[in-house]
Amino acid sequence: MHAFKAGDKVDYRVTWLEMRQRPSFGWPSLPVGREAMLVRADTPPWWYFLSLYDAVGRDYAWTDRHNTPREELNAWIQHADVALYTLIGAGWPQGFFVLDWREEGICELAYFGLVPEAVGRGLGRWLLQSAIMTGWDREGIQKMTVNTCTLDHPRALAQYQRMGFSPVRTEIHSRVLVKDQVFKQPLL
């Protein structure tokens, strides 16, 4: 494990992936013994998005969206071609995803993840398959895209590939951490 302190500069690898055809799997069933629902937010405010973003991304150095002006963040998350879905279980948010259809023929899985307390409970695969099927459900979609990086959950890249996404490019980026972080995987 790599431990870094706030202020440390870290290099990490970003991988962009694509899925060029609708997957062969269908709509998933919730894992046995799990009760949850997926709720689409209707014109969510910026603070709702950031609360989910922080709950999922706090351990993965998700901080970039805090630099986005509130008006711009609201315009994006409330755009008619952007959808935020929240996974609710036991009365509280356990994960979320954001789909962005603003580019014709493309659905970007802009954000996806579970809160730490929900990881390992069998919901991640279900949520990802639901996101993928929802993305492809819009008429005219020719490909779906997503990106992940080595700051994200250690299984993120492999999970996207298992679902049918293929890497199309990688880049090395750098950032200065704003809080102490322990990463469970190599950053490059």
Side-chain angles (χ1 to χ4, degrees):
M1 270 196 255
H2 304 279
F4 295 92
K5 298 208 178 304
D8 285 351
K9 181 180 175 185
V10 297
D11 293 332
Y12 59 98
R13 177 178 288 119
V14 179
T15 302
W16 283 266
L17 303 103
E18 293 181 354
M19 181 185 294
R20 293 201 163 265
Q21 61 185 357
R22 186 183 185 101
S24 59
F25 57 77
W27 286 92
S29 298
L30 268 171
V32 175
R34 298 282 177 236
E35 290 187 27
M37 64 180 164
L38 198 53
V39 179
R40 181 177 177 167
D42 184 22
T43 60
W46 61 267
W47 59 262
Y48 183 70
F49 165 75
L50 283 182
S51 68
L52 294 169
Y53 176 85
D54 289 343
V56 168
R58 70 178 176 254
D59 294 335
Y60 306 113
W62 286 15
T63 58
D64 298 353
R65 278 301 191 168
H66 287 282
N67 298 325
T68 305
R70 299 300 181 238
E71 300 79 26
E72 185 180 325
L73 197 53
N74 245 4
W76 170 71
I77 200 64
Q78 293 179 2
H79 193 283
D81 290 323
V82 175
L84 183 149
Y85 288 83
T86 306
L87 173 64
I88 305 288
W92 48 275
Q94 297 192 6
F96 82 111
F97 62 84
V98 176
L99 299 173
D100 186 337
W101 293 281
R102 291 177 301 163
E103 190 172 339
E104 188 176 339
I106 298 172
C107 176
E108 177 189 7
L109 178 53
Y111 291 95
F112 171 85
L114 296 172
V115 300
E117 297 83 359
V119 172
R121 301 175 76 203
L123 293 169
R125 182 180 181 91
W126 177 84
L127 186 61
L128 183 54
Q129 285 181 328
S130 296
I132 292 168
M133 295 306 292
T134 303
W136 280 101
D137 227 24
R138 184 171 280 203
E139 190 173 321
I141 295 302
Q142 298 165 5
K143 83 175 165 181
M144 194 163 185
T145 64
V146 68
N147 72 70
T148 188
C149 72
T150 51
L151 299 174
D152 284 340
H153 191 283
R155 292 190 304 263
L157 178 59
Q159 183 72 324
Y160 290 132
Q161 289 177 294
R162 273 193 293 281
M163 290 295 125
F165 286 96
S166 298
V168 292
R169 82 177 199 271
T170 62
E171 291 178 5
I172 303 300
H173 288 239
S174 297
R175 76 174 334 133
V176 175
L177 297 178
V178 295
K179 69 174 196 164
D180 293 352
Q181 300 262 217
V182 176
F183 296 104
K184 299 175 183 172
Q185 62 185 11
L187 299 180
L188 293 177

